[in-house]
Amino acid sequence: MAEILCLAAGSALLPARSQMALSLGWHIVLACFGMALPAMILVLHRRGLRGDEVALDLAKRWSKVAGVLFAIGAVSGTILAFEMGLLWPGLMERYGDVVGLAFTLEGLSFFTEAIFLGIYVYGWGRLPGRLHSLMLLPVIASGVVGSFFVLSVNSWMNEPTGFRVVDGEVVDVDPVAAILNPAVGVQFVHMFLAAYMVVGFLVAGVYAVGALRGRTDRAHRLGLLVPLAFAAVATPLQPIVGHMAGQRIADEQPVKLAAIEGLAHTESRAPLTLGGVFVDGELRGGIDVPVEGLLSFLAHNDFDAEVVGLDSVPAADRPPVNVVRFAFQVMAGIGSALVVVAGWVVVRWWRTRDLVGSRPLLWALAAAGPLTVVAMEAGWVTTEVGRQPWIVDGYLRTADAVTDAGYIWFTFGALVVVYSLLTVGAVVVVRSMSRRWSTGARDLGPAYGEEGGR
């Protein structure tokens, strides 16, 4: 008992970080569905209004899944909103005026999304078909806009702007400039594409598993094709945007890039090294790509350019190199594999117009969904851990922003239980719906009556 009390009374930094990582890592998957799934439903719905009953039925089913995921995401999003103040009072007290507008606008976007998603989910059989489908447009827009405002805060933490510090006080606050910080564009596009990759491959993976079990009816073929169409477009674009993001990091957060690459010393014609472990201030066991100065070229478009190393700052200002480097390499490795899978899908469809006829492709798609989530989570680890020890890069250390409360390990434990229950609940509800649908059951009769609700 004494040990537990001592632990609770100790530093809150580790449990606060752990709690925030759990909350963000769990919620971001649901946020992806909020950004991407409504657009896929809209494609099916509009196709259904042209007489495709299978597409219309899929739109109805997916809308119910979207409603379930949104409800659960509302819980985790609310928890995150409270955590910003409870876990990081130093951040909100000092910079609340700078980032407050972004959070306010995100809240308005959330309510707009909730209202129109509710109208859409309960509008089946009650609204004219064309009008009903149009209810998805504000859902799509508000999901994307809300995500933009959240990402603007995170990108601001990486490239803070919209204020000045004079004599230790934050002055000349410009919340619009903070929202439109220099990093927000590329970070938002990077996450936007990631959302369509995650949802596209996860949804397609569900239908790929069904096809592997012998269910090759038109519903499974369409359920495979529509999300893959989105994922096949987003996936090859992602490395291009990722490269642009990497060059911004090289210019604005060079120590993060040094951690990503395990570059101990500042050097010109820096090599690109794969693998390895950073030990005693040096990268060991890595394999140099046999192109001299490749890292310099990737970072600055110049093979002779100087790349800043970890030795440019004191040890106390360096992130945990192995965590950042491993996460980045996981993201890059899986991302490269997904580009191959997307290309495979495009070639297969172009040649045969049949995606369910190739079992190796179906197995690849079944694996691609979970792997895409792993890649996205690894990308966020790279971004967030790579910024350490700063919560606002160059201005405020994470250790100085954390709460001094002595009960954070307990709240972290409670959160583990809550998220476990939410996960189990989501799986049980969605599987129950899936099993009912697999027997041919319909929750409603014909969507719009004899005239199609036009």
Side-chain angles (χ1 to χ4, degrees):
M1 185 65 179
E3 289 81 0
I4 295 177
L5 292 175
C6 289
L7 181 64
S11 171
L13 184 58
L14 178 59
R17 279 175 163 164
S18 301
Q19 182 170 326
M20 202 71 187
L22 172 63
S23 299
L24 286 170
W26 199 90
H27 180 75
I28 194 65
V29 178
L30 297 174
C32 287
F33 278 90
M35 292 176 70
L37 187 57
M40 299 177 189
I41 296 173
L42 179 61
V43 169
L44 289 170
H45 197 148
R46 299 301 292 183
R47 186 184 183 97
L49 292 177
R50 294 194 294 270
D52 189 334
E53 288 295 329
V54 174
L56 198 61
D57 199 47
L58 277 179
K60 291 169 61 178
R61 294 176 180 182
W62 290 11
S63 71
K64 296 180 184 301
V65 174
V68 172
L69 296 180
F70 183 87
I72 297 173
V75 176
S76 58
T78 302
I79 291 173
L80 273 170
F82 281 106
E83 283 177 334
M84 290 299 294
L86 291 174
L87 299 180
W88 313 107
L91 170 66
M92 301 311 295
E93 179 181 0
R94 187 170 177 81
Y95 294 104
D97 290 344
V98 182
V99 298
L101 178 62
F103 284 125
T104 300
L105 294 175
E106 189 278 333
L108 294 175
S109 299
F110 169 80
F111 287 121
T112 302
E113 184 180 6
I115 290 168
F116 282 96
L117 181 61
I119 293 172
Y120 182 77
V121 170
Y122 289 100
W124 290 102
R126 298 176 177 89
L127 292 174
R130 294 184 188 277
L131 176 62
H132 185 204
S133 69
L134 293 178
M135 295 300 101
L136 284 169
L137 295 180
V139 175
I140 296 169
S142 55
V144 172
V145 170
S147 298
F148 173 83
F149 287 123
V150 171
L151 289 166
S152 75
V153 176
N154 184 265
S155 58
W156 172 85
M157 291 178 178
N158 288 281
E159 292 191 36
T161 187
F163 66 96
R164 292 190 308 118
V165 177
V166 178
D167 296 329
E169 297 294 325
V170 176
V171 299
D172 296 339
V173 172
D174 185 348
V176 175
I179 291 172
L180 301 178
N181 64 82
V184 68
V186 68
Q187 184 166 332
F188 170 72
V189 174
H190 201 42
M191 185 61 216
F192 180 80
L193 294 175
Y196 276 91
M197 290 174 64
V198 166
V199 178
F201 281 118
L202 276 177
V203 175
V206 171
Y207 288 91
V209 170
L212 286 168
R213 294 174 176 173
R215 301 196 64 193
T216 57
D217 53 83
R218 189 164 179 280
H220 276 70
R221 292 174 182 269
L222 196 58
L224 199 63
L225 177 62
V226 170
L228 282 180
F230 285 91
V233 173
T235 302
L237 294 176
Q238 190 67 296
I240 300 172
V241 178
H243 173 64
M244 296 168 61
Q247 291 196 324
R248 282 211 64 85
I249 291 173
D251 293 334
E252 304 298 334
Q253 294 179 292
V255 177
K256 179 187 287 189
L257 179 66
I260 289 172
E261 301 298 341
L263 189 66
H265 308 289
T266 300
E267 58 182 293
S268 300
R269 298 190 71 80
L272 182 67
T273 306
L274 304 178
V277 179
F278 199 80
V279 180
D280 296 331
E282 297 290 340
L283 185 65
R284 300 180 181 179
I287 302 172
D288 288 345
V289 176
V291 178
E292 188 177 0
L294 182 56
L295 177 57
S296 294
F297 178 77
L298 292 174
H300 300 291
N301 296 325
D302 181 357
F303 286 101
D304 295 317
E306 181 180 86
V307 180
V308 173
L310 291 162
D311 62 353
S312 63
V313 296
D317 291 343
R318 301 170 191 169
V321 177
N322 286 319
V323 175
V324 177
R325 180 166 172 77
F326 178 73
F328 176 81
Q329 299 219 339
V330 168
M331 178 191 69
I334 294 176
S336 299
L338 292 172
V339 171
V340 174
V341 173
W344 188 359
V345 168
V346 172
V347 171
R348 173 78 186 183
W349 178 253
W350 178 63
R351 288 182 175 178
T352 68
R353 293 295 192 272
D354 177 27
L355 297 178
V356 301
S358 171
R359 291 187 68 83
L361 176 58
L362 293 175
W363 278 111
L365 293 173
L371 287 175
T372 310
V373 175
V374 172
M376 179 186 64
E377 300 284 9
W380 275 108
V381 170
T382 304
T383 297
E384 299 304 287
V385 179
R387 189 177 65 242
Q388 300 308 312
W390 305 97
I391 191 170
V392 180
D393 195 48
Y395 286 92
L396 180 64
R397 290 178 179 270
T398 308
D400 295 330
V402 73
T403 179
D404 58 1
Y407 50 77
I408 303 302
W409 277 119
F410 298 117
T411 62
F412 173 58
L415 204 66
V416 170
V417 174
V418 169
Y419 282 148
S420 297
L421 292 175
L422 286 173
T423 302
V424 171
V427 171
V428 169
V429 171
V430 174
R431 286 194 67 184
S432 174
M433 291 190 296
S434 176
R435 287 171 179 168
R436 188 167 67 250
W437 293 332
S438 67
T439 64
R442 301 182 69 173
D443 296 311
L444 294 171
Y448 303 113
E450 295 181 359
E451 297 183 0
R454 292 178 175 79

mmCIF file of all heavy atoms in Angstrom, residues 157-200:
data_model
loop_
_atom_site.group_PDB
_atom_site.id
_atom_site.type_symbol
_atom_site.label_atom_id
_atom_site.label_comp_id
_atom_site.label_asym_id
_atom_site.label_seq_id
_atom_site.Cartn_x
_atom_site.Cartn_y
_atom_site.Cartn_z
ATOM 1 N N MET A 157 1.953 23.362 -32.276
ATOM 2 C CA MET A 157 2.903 22.905 -31.266
ATOM 3 C C MET A 157 4.273 22.624 -31.879
ATOM 4 O O MET A 157 5.306 22.785 -31.218
ATOM 5 C CB MET A 157 2.382 21.640 -30.582
ATOM 6 C CG MET A 157 1.170 21.851 -29.699
ATOM 7 S SD MET A 157 0.611 20.287 -28.999
ATOM 8 C CE MET A 157 -0.763 20.845 -27.983
ATOM 9 N N ASN A 158 4.280 22.186 -33.135
ATOM 10 C CA ASN A 158 5.536 21.904 -33.827
ATOM 11 C C ASN A 158 6.169 23.161 -34.413
ATOM 12 O O ASN A 158 7.397 23.272 -34.459
ATOM 13 C CB ASN A 158 5.304 20.875 -34.932
ATOM 14 C CG ASN A 158 5.054 19.484 -34.387
ATOM 15 O OD1 ASN A 158 5.981 18.780 -34.012
ATOM 16 N ND2 ASN A 158 3.789 19.086 -34.329
ATOM 17 N N GLU A 159 5.354 24.097 -34.885
ATOM 18 C CA GLU A 159 5.857 25.363 -35.421
ATOM 19 C C GLU A 159 5.016 26.508 -34.852
ATOM 20 O O GLU A 159 4.142 27.049 -35.523
ATOM 21 C CB GLU A 159 5.814 25.368 -36.944
ATOM 22 C CG GLU A 159 6.791 24.396 -37.590
ATOM 23 C CD GLU A 159 6.914 24.594 -39.083
ATOM 24 O OE1 GLU A 159 6.855 25.761 -39.539
ATOM 25 O OE2 GLU A 159 7.068 23.594 -39.800
ATOM 26 N N PRO A 160 5.249 26.863 -33.590
ATOM 27 C CA PRO A 160 4.404 27.859 -32.923
ATOM 28 C C PRO A 160 4.533 29.246 -33.549
ATOM 29 O O PRO A 160 5.628 29.707 -33.868
ATOM 30 C CB PRO A 160 4.913 27.855 -31.478
ATOM 31 C CG PRO A 160 6.279 27.268 -31.547
ATOM 32 C CD PRO A 160 6.268 26.317 -32.688
ATOM 33 N N THR A 161 3.390 29.893 -33.713
ATOM 34 C CA THR A 161 3.331 31.254 -34.235
ATOM 35 C C THR A 161 2.065 31.900 -33.689
ATOM 36 O O THR A 161 1.292 31.271 -32.979
ATOM 37 C CB THR A 161 3.332 31.252 -35.780
ATOM 38 O OG1 THR A 161 3.436 32.587 -36.264
ATOM 39 C CG2 THR A 161 2.073 30.614 -36.318
ATOM 40 N N GLY A 162 1.846 33.173 -34.010
ATOM 41 C CA GLY A 162 0.640 33.857 -33.551
ATOM 42 C C GLY A 162 0.760 34.471 -32.178
ATOM 43 O O GLY A 162 -0.264 34.763 -31.543
ATOM 44 N N PHE A 163 1.982 34.720 -31.697
ATOM 45 C CA PHE A 163 2.187 35.351 -30.391
ATOM 46 C C PHE A 163 3.649 35.781 -30.293
ATOM 47 O O PHE A 163 4.497 35.387 -31.100
ATOM 48 C CB PHE A 163 1.854 34.388 -29.242
ATOM 49 C CG PHE A 163 2.797 33.211 -29.166
ATOM 50 C CD1 PHE A 163 3.893 33.246 -28.309
ATOM 51 C CD2 PHE A 163 2.597 32.084 -29.948
ATOM 52 C CE1 PHE A 163 4.780 32.172 -28.237
ATOM 53 C CE2 PHE A 163 3.476 31.008 -29.886
ATOM 54 C CZ PHE A 163 4.560 31.052 -29.031
ATOM 55 N N ARG A 164 3.926 36.574 -29.281
ATOM 56 C CA ARG A 164 5.297 36.898 -28.901
ATOM 57 C C ARG A 164 5.436 36.715 -27.400
ATOM 58 O O ARG A 164 4.460 36.794 -26.671
ATOM 59 C CB ARG A 164 5.659 38.338 -29.295
ATOM 60 C CG ARG A 164 5.741 38.585 -30.787
ATOM 61 C CD ARG A 164 6.337 39.957 -31.111
ATOM 62 N NE ARG A 164 5.667 41.051 -30.417
ATOM 63 C CZ ARG A 164 6.243 41.873 -29.540
ATOM 64 N NH1 ARG A 164 7.520 41.694 -29.191
ATOM 65 N NH2 ARG A 164 5.558 42.863 -28.971
ATOM 66 N N VAL A 165 6.650 36.458 -26.966
ATOM 67 C CA VAL A 165 6.937 36.355 -25.534
ATOM 68 C C VAL A 165 7.816 37.527 -25.143
ATOM 69 O O VAL A 165 8.930 37.685 -25.673
ATOM 70 C CB VAL A 165 7.626 35.021 -25.185
ATOM 71 C CG1 VAL A 165 7.978 34.983 -23.694
ATOM 72 C CG2 VAL A 165 6.730 33.843 -25.546
ATOM 73 N N VAL A 166 7.303 38.367 -24.255
ATOM 74 C CA VAL A 166 8.029 39.541 -23.786
ATOM 75 C C VAL A 166 8.109 39.476 -22.262
ATOM 76 O O VAL A 166 7.070 39.425 -21.583
ATOM 77 C CB VAL A 166 7.328 40.847 -24.226
ATOM 78 C CG1 VAL A 166 8.079 42.050 -23.674
ATOM 79 C CG2 VAL A 166 7.234 40.918 -25.745
ATOM 80 N N ASP A 167 9.331 39.455 -21.758
ATOM 81 C CA ASP A 167 9.550 39.377 -20.306
ATOM 82 C C ASP A 167 8.802 38.202 -19.686
ATOM 83 O O ASP A 167 8.213 38.311 -18.598
ATOM 84 C CB ASP A 167 9.119 40.683 -19.625
ATOM 85 C CG ASP A 167 9.955 41.873 -20.077
ATOM 86 O OD1 ASP A 167 11.133 41.663 -20.402
ATOM 87 O OD2 ASP A 167 9.401 42.989 -20.111
ATOM 88 N N GLY A 168 8.805 37.082 -20.414
ATOM 89 C CA GLY A 168 8.167 35.880 -19.904
ATOM 90 C C GLY A 168 6.665 35.830 -20.059
ATOM 91 O O GLY A 168 6.030 34.848 -19.663
ATOM 92 N N GLU A 169 6.058 36.873 -20.646
ATOM 93 C CA GLU A 169 4.615 36.924 -20.826
ATOM 94 C C GLU A 169 4.260 36.773 -22.307
ATOM 95 O O GLU A 169 4.948 37.296 -23.185
ATOM 96 C CB GLU A 169 4.058 38.249 -20.306
ATOM 97 C CG GLU A 169 4.247 38.466 -18.818
ATOM 98 C CD GLU A 169 3.456 37.478 -17.981
ATOM 99 O OE1 GLU A 169 2.343 37.106 -18.415
ATOM 100 O OE2 GLU A 169 3.937 37.087 -16.905
ATOM 101 N N VAL A 170 3.161 36.036 -22.583
ATOM 102 C CA VAL A 170 2.673 35.852 -23.946
ATOM 103 C C VAL A 170 1.850 37.075 -24.333
ATOM 104 O O VAL A 170 0.848 37.396 -23.684
ATOM 105 C CB VAL A 170 1.820 34.576 -24.054
ATOM 106 C CG1 VAL A 170 1.234 34.436 -25.457
ATOM 107 C CG2 VAL A 170 2.661 33.345 -23.707
ATOM 108 N N VAL A 171 2.273 37.762 -25.385
ATOM 109 C CA VAL A 171 1.593 38.993 -25.821
ATOM 110 C C VAL A 171 1.356 38.938 -27.320
ATOM 111 O O VAL A 171 1.816 38.033 -28.016
ATOM 112 C CB VAL A 171 2.432 40.243 -25.470
ATOM 113 C CG1 VAL A 171 2.639 40.356 -23.965
ATOM 114 C CG2 VAL A 171 3.792 40.205 -26.188
ATOM 115 N N ASP A 172 0.614 39.936 -27.822
ATOM 116 C CA ASP A 172 0.304 40.046 -29.252
ATOM 117 C C ASP A 172 -0.284 38.744 -29.802
ATOM 118 O O ASP A 172 0.138 38.235 -30.839
ATOM 119 C CB ASP A 172 1.552 40.429 -30.055
ATOM 120 C CG ASP A 172 2.074 41.804 -29.696
ATOM 121 O OD1 ASP A 172 1.276 42.607 -29.157
ATOM 122 O OD2 ASP A 172 3.262 42.083 -29.940
ATOM 123 N N VAL A 173 -1.265 38.231 -29.105
ATOM 124 C CA VAL A 173 -1.867 36.951 -29.488
ATOM 125 C C VAL A 173 -2.707 37.126 -30.754
ATOM 126 O O VAL A 173 -3.542 38.030 -30.846
ATOM 127 C CB VAL A 173 -2.741 36.399 -28.338
ATOM 128 C CG1 VAL A 173 -3.523 35.176 -28.804
ATOM 129 C CG2 VAL A 173 -1.875 36.071 -27.141
ATOM 130 N N ASP A 174 -2.476 36.248 -31.716
ATOM 131 C CA ASP A 174 -3.230 36.243 -32.976
ATOM 132 C C ASP A 174 -3.681 34.805 -33.234
ATOM 133 O O ASP A 174 -2.957 34.021 -33.843
ATOM 134 C CB ASP A 174 -2.359 36.746 -34.118
ATOM 135 C CG ASP A 174 -3.130 36.875 -35.436
ATOM 136 O OD1 ASP A 174 -4.263 36.361 -35.516
ATOM 137 O OD2 ASP A 174 -2.588 37.477 -36.382
ATOM 138 N N PRO A 175 -4.862 34.412 -32.745
ATOM 139 C CA PRO A 175 -5.295 33.013 -32.877
ATOM 140 C C PRO A 175 -5.479 32.569 -34.318
ATOM 141 O O PRO A 175 -5.312 31.381 -34.629
ATOM 142 C CB PRO A 175 -6.616 32.978 -32.107
ATOM 143 C CG PRO A 175 -7.068 34.393 -32.014
ATOM 144 C CD PRO A 175 -5.833 35.224 -32.000
ATOM 145 N N VAL A 176 -5.815 33.497 -35.230
ATOM 146 C CA VAL A 176 -5.943 33.114 -36.643
ATOM 147 C C VAL A 176 -4.582 32.741 -37.211
ATOM 148 O O VAL A 176 -4.441 31.756 -37.948
ATOM 149 C CB VAL A 176 -6.584 34.252 -37.453
ATOM 150 C CG1 VAL A 176 -6.603 33.909 -38.939
ATOM 151 C CG2 VAL A 176 -8.000 34.524 -36.951
ATOM 152 N N ALA A 177 -3.555 33.528 -36.870
ATOM 153 C CA ALA A 177 -2.203 33.193 -37.317
ATOM 154 C C ALA A 177 -1.749 31.862 -36.737
ATOM 155 O O ALA A 177 -1.015 31.096 -37.391
ATOM 156 C CB ALA A 177 -1.233 34.305 -36.923
ATOM 157 N N ALA A 178 -2.173 31.566 -35.509
ATOM 158 C CA ALA A 178 -1.826 30.274 -34.911
ATOM 159 C C ALA A 178 -2.480 29.132 -35.675
ATOM 160 O O ALA A 178 -1.844 28.099 -35.937
ATOM 161 C CB ALA A 178 -2.260 30.251 -33.441
ATOM 162 N N ILE A 179 -3.751 29.308 -36.050
ATOM 163 C CA ILE A 179 -4.444 28.278 -36.820
ATOM 164 C C ILE A 179 -3.771 28.075 -38.180
ATOM 165 O O ILE A 179 -3.568 26.950 -38.630
ATOM 166 C CB ILE A 179 -5.925 28.649 -37.009
ATOM 167 C CG1 ILE A 179 -6.667 28.568 -35.672
ATOM 168 C CG2 ILE A 179 -6.598 27.735 -38.040
ATOM 169 C CD1 ILE A 179 -8.083 29.103 -35.722
ATOM 170 N N LEU A 180 -3.417 29.175 -38.816
ATOM 171 C CA LEU A 180 -2.814 29.117 -40.152
ATOM 172 C C LEU A 180 -1.295 29.106 -40.068
ATOM 173 O O LEU A 180 -0.599 29.724 -40.874
ATOM 174 C CB LEU A 180 -3.294 30.302 -40.984
ATOM 175 C CG LEU A 180 -4.808 30.403 -41.169
ATOM 176 C CD1 LEU A 180 -5.175 31.635 -41.972
ATOM 177 C CD2 LEU A 180 -5.365 29.146 -41.853
ATOM 178 N N ASN A 181 -0.762 28.374 -39.111
ATOM 179 C CA ASN A 181 0.688 28.297 -38.949
ATOM 180 C C ASN A 181 1.335 27.618 -40.159
ATOM 181 O O ASN A 181 0.657 26.913 -40.920
ATOM 182 C CB ASN A 181 1.028 27.544 -37.656
ATOM 183 C CG ASN A 181 0.565 26.103 -37.697
ATOM 184 O OD1 ASN A 181 1.211 25.231 -38.251
ATOM 185 N ND2 ASN A 181 -0.602 25.849 -37.087
ATOM 186 N N PRO A 182 2.628 27.821 -40.377
ATOM 187 C CA PRO A 182 3.262 27.331 -41.600
ATOM 188 C C PRO A 182 3.210 25.818 -41.803
ATOM 189 O O PRO A 182 3.308 25.347 -42.936
ATOM 190 C CB PRO A 182 4.722 27.796 -41.443
ATOM 191 C CG PRO A 182 4.660 28.953 -40.515
ATOM 192 C CD PRO A 182 3.542 28.651 -39.574
ATOM 193 N N ALA A 183 3.041 25.052 -40.728
ATOM 194 C CA ALA A 183 3.075 23.592 -40.853
ATOM 195 C C ALA A 183 1.713 22.969 -41.092
ATOM 196 O O ALA A 183 1.623 21.783 -41.417
ATOM 197 C CB ALA A 183 3.692 22.974 -39.593
ATOM 198 N N VAL A 184 0.630 23.742 -40.931
ATOM 199 C CA VAL A 184 -0.696 23.127 -40.904
ATOM 200 C C VAL A 184 -1.086 22.526 -42.246
ATOM 201 O O VAL A 184 -1.753 21.491 -42.302
ATOM 202 C CB VAL A 184 -1.753 24.142 -40.421
ATOM 203 C CG1 VAL A 184 -1.955 25.259 -41.442
ATOM 204 C CG2 VAL A 184 -3.078 23.445 -40.131
ATOM 205 N N GLY A 185 -0.695 23.153 -43.354
ATOM 206 C CA GLY A 185 -1.122 22.663 -44.667
ATOM 207 C C GLY A 185 -0.648 21.261 -44.937
ATOM 208 O O GLY A 185 -1.443 20.353 -45.210
ATOM 209 N N VAL A 186 0.650 21.054 -44.841
ATOM 210 C CA VAL A 186 1.193 19.741 -45.183
ATOM 211 C C VAL A 186 0.784 18.697 -44.148
ATOM 212 O O VAL A 186 0.517 17.538 -44.495
ATOM 213 C CB VAL A 186 2.731 19.812 -45.329
ATOM 214 C CG1 VAL A 186 3.411 20.085 -43.997
ATOM 215 C CG2 VAL A 186 3.271 18.544 -45.959
ATOM 216 N N GLN A 187 0.683 19.086 -42.863
ATOM 217 C CA GLN A 187 0.284 18.100 -41.852
ATOM 218 C C GLN A 187 -1.176 17.690 -42.035
ATOM 219 O O GLN A 187 -1.517 16.513 -41.896
ATOM 220 C CB GLN A 187 0.493 18.651 -40.438
ATOM 221 C CG GLN A 187 0.184 17.628 -39.351
ATOM 222 C CD GLN A 187 0.689 18.039 -37.985
ATOM 223 O OE1 GLN A 187 1.672 18.766 -37.856
ATOM 224 N NE2 GLN A 187 0.020 17.569 -36.938
ATOM 225 N N PHE A 188 -2.028 18.660 -42.388
ATOM 226 C CA PHE A 188 -3.431 18.315 -42.602
ATOM 227 C C PHE A 188 -3.585 17.392 -43.806
ATOM 228 O O PHE A 188 -4.311 16.391 -43.739
ATOM 229 C CB PHE A 188 -4.269 19.573 -42.812
ATOM 230 C CG PHE A 188 -5.679 19.282 -43.269
ATOM 231 C CD1 PHE A 188 -6.598 18.732 -42.394
ATOM 232 C CD2 PHE A 188 -6.063 19.515 -44.580
ATOM 233 C CE1 PHE A 188 -7.887 18.432 -42.809
ATOM 234 C CE2 PHE A 188 -7.348 19.232 -45.002
ATOM 235 C CZ PHE A 188 -8.258 18.690 -44.111
ATOM 236 N N VAL A 189 -2.939 17.703 -44.910
ATOM 237 C CA VAL A 189 -3.058 16.851 -46.097
ATOM 238 C C VAL A 189 -2.520 15.454 -45.797
ATOM 239 O O VAL A 189 -3.097 14.444 -46.225
ATOM 240 C CB VAL A 189 -2.309 17.479 -47.290
ATOM 241 C CG1 VAL A 189 -2.302 16.531 -48.485
ATOM 242 C CG2 VAL A 189 -2.957 18.802 -47.682
ATOM 243 N N HIS A 190 -1.427 15.385 -45.052
ATOM 244 C CA HIS A 190 -0.851 14.088 -44.678
ATOM 245 C C HIS A 190 -1.861 13.254 -43.894
ATOM 246 O O HIS A 190 -2.048 12.060 -44.159
ATOM 247 C CB HIS A 190 0.404 14.330 -43.846
ATOM 248 C CG HIS A 190 1.351 13.174 -43.808
ATOM 249 N ND1 HIS A 190 1.672 12.410 -44.906
ATOM 250 C CD2 HIS A 190 2.059 12.632 -42.779
ATOM 251 C CE1 HIS A 190 2.533 11.467 -44.570
ATOM 252 N NE2 HIS A 190 2.775 11.579 -43.274
ATOM 253 N N MET A 191 -2.549 13.882 -42.940
ATOM 254 C CA MET A 191 -3.538 13.169 -42.138
ATOM 255 C C MET A 191 -4.792 12.879 -42.943
ATOM 256 O O MET A 191 -5.423 11.827 -42.779
ATOM 257 C CB MET A 191 -3.875 13.999 -40.887
ATOM 258 C CG MET A 191 -4.808 13.278 -39.911
ATOM 259 S SD MET A 191 -4.100 11.749 -39.293
ATOM 260 C CE MET A 191 -5.558 10.724 -39.181
ATOM 261 N N PHE A 192 -5.191 13.787 -43.805
ATOM 262 C CA PHE A 192 -6.369 13.586 -44.652
ATOM 263 C C PHE A 192 -6.190 12.339 -45.521
ATOM 264 O O PHE A 192 -7.081 11.484 -45.607
ATOM 265 C CB PHE A 192 -6.578 14.825 -45.524
ATOM 266 C CG PHE A 192 -7.769 14.749 -46.441
ATOM 267 C CD1 PHE A 192 -9.044 15.005 -45.978
ATOM 268 C CD2 PHE A 192 -7.609 14.413 -47.781
ATOM 269 C CE1 PHE A 192 -10.147 14.939 -46.817
ATOM 270 C CE2 PHE A 192 -8.703 14.340 -48.625
ATOM 271 C CZ PHE A 192 -9.968 14.606 -48.154
ATOM 272 N N LEU A 193 -5.039 12.211 -46.155
ATOM 273 C CA LEU A 193 -4.765 11.027 -46.975
ATOM 274 C C LEU A 193 -4.694 9.773 -46.104
ATOM 275 O O LEU A 193 -5.180 8.702 -46.499
ATOM 276 C CB LEU A 193 -3.461 11.215 -47.741
ATOM 277 C CG LEU A 193 -3.456 12.321 -48.806
ATOM 278 C CD1 LEU A 193 -2.058 12.487 -49.394
ATOM 279 C CD2 LEU A 193 -4.464 12.026 -49.908
ATOM 280 N N ALA A 194 -4.093 9.911 -44.912
ATOM 281 C CA ALA A 194 -4.006 8.758 -44.011
ATOM 282 C C ALA A 194 -5.392 8.261 -43.625
ATOM 283 O O ALA A 194 -5.624 7.047 -43.523
ATOM 284 C CB ALA A 194 -3.211 9.133 -42.760
ATOM 285 N N ALA A 195 -6.333 9.188 -43.407
ATOM 286 C CA ALA A 195 -7.692 8.790 -43.039
ATOM 287 C C ALA A 195 -8.333 7.946 -44.139
ATOM 288 O O ALA A 195 -8.966 6.920 -43.863
ATOM 289 C CB ALA A 195 -8.538 10.034 -42.754
ATOM 290 N N TYR A 196 -8.186 8.368 -45.386
ATOM 291 C CA TYR A 196 -8.775 7.611 -46.482
ATOM 292 C C TYR A 196 -8.058 6.279 -46.691
ATOM 293 O O TYR A 196 -8.679 5.293 -47.112
ATOM 294 C CB TYR A 196 -8.765 8.447 -47.766
ATOM 295 C CG TYR A 196 -9.956 9.377 -47.822
ATOM 296 C CD1 TYR A 196 -9.883 10.670 -47.311
ATOM 297 C CD2 TYR A 196 -11.163 8.946 -48.348
ATOM 298 C CE1 TYR A 196 -10.986 11.514 -47.329
ATOM 299 C CE2 TYR A 196 -12.275 9.784 -48.371
ATOM 300 C CZ TYR A 196 -12.176 11.062 -47.865
ATOM 301 O OH TYR A 196 -13.274 11.877 -47.878
ATOM 302 N N MET A 197 -6.774 6.231 -46.389
ATOM 303 C CA MET A 197 -6.062 4.957 -46.451
ATOM 304 C C MET A 197 -6.557 4.011 -45.360
ATOM 305 O O MET A 197 -6.846 2.838 -45.613
ATOM 306 C CB MET A 197 -4.566 5.195 -46.304
ATOM 307 C CG MET A 197 -3.910 5.872 -47.491
ATOM 308 S SD MET A 197 -2.177 6.281 -47.170
ATOM 309 C CE MET A 197 -1.470 4.627 -46.970
ATOM 310 N N VAL A 198 -6.649 4.518 -44.129
ATOM 311 C CA VAL A 198 -7.072 3.678 -43.001
ATOM 312 C C VAL A 198 -8.478 3.128 -43.234
ATOM 313 O O VAL A 198 -8.714 1.911 -43.152
ATOM 314 C CB VAL A 198 -7.006 4.477 -41.686
ATOM 315 C CG1 VAL A 198 -7.752 3.742 -40.568
ATOM 316 C CG2 VAL A 198 -5.560 4.706 -41.281
ATOM 317 N N VAL A 199 -9.415 4.016 -43.528
ATOM 318 C CA VAL A 199 -10.799 3.581 -43.696
ATOM 319 C C VAL A 199 -10.941 2.735 -44.964
ATOM 320 O O VAL A 199 -11.631 1.705 -44.958
ATOM 321 C CB VAL A 199 -11.744 4.789 -43.740
ATOM 322 C CG1 VAL A 199 -13.182 4.347 -43.973
ATOM 323 C CG2 VAL A 199 -11.645 5.576 -42.438
ATOM 324 N N GLY A 200 -10.288 3.157 -46.035
ATOM 325 C CA GLY A 200 -10.389 2.400 -47.279
ATOM 326 C C GLY A 200 -9.904 0.979 -47.123
ATOM 327 O O GLY A 200 -10.591 0.020 -47.503
#
